[in-house]
Amino acid sequence: MQATVRSFDPDTRSGSLFLDDGSEIPFGAAAFDAGPLRLLRPGQRVNFALTDDTVTVITLSTFPLPESGA
């Protein structure tokens, strides 16, 4: 799935995403740490995976999701 970064706190490594339908979903440090990223900026397009309505991995839209996050 794809979304746009709404917010990101580099200290907590957590933030939130805007989905294409306009809804917002939070993500925690575990989802950020599961991908190859070091930083996110508001407005960036990202790929992400959900498990039980929880974001489990985030990566830039130009990168594939890790196999465990698909």
Side-chain angles (χ1 to χ4, degrees):
M1 297 175 71
Q2 290 194 344
T4 302
V5 176
R6 179 185 176 278
S7 65
F8 177 69
D9 182 336
D11 293 329
T12 63
R13 299 180 326 280
S14 62
S16 63
L17 305 173
F18 275 131
L19 303 181
D20 290 343
D21 68 3
S23 60
E24 185 178 346
I25 188 166
F27 66 88
F32 180 77
D33 292 343
L37 305 177
R38 292 196 249 173
L39 181 67
L40 286 171
R41 292 188 179 100
Q44 281 183 305
R45 287 292 286 176
V46 293
N47 286 332
F48 69 99
L50 285 176
T51 301
D52 299 324
D53 295 326
T54 300
V55 177
T56 56
V57 63
I58 300 171
T59 189
L60 295 181
S61 62
T62 56
F63 296 163
L65 286 170
E67 288 297 320
S68 61

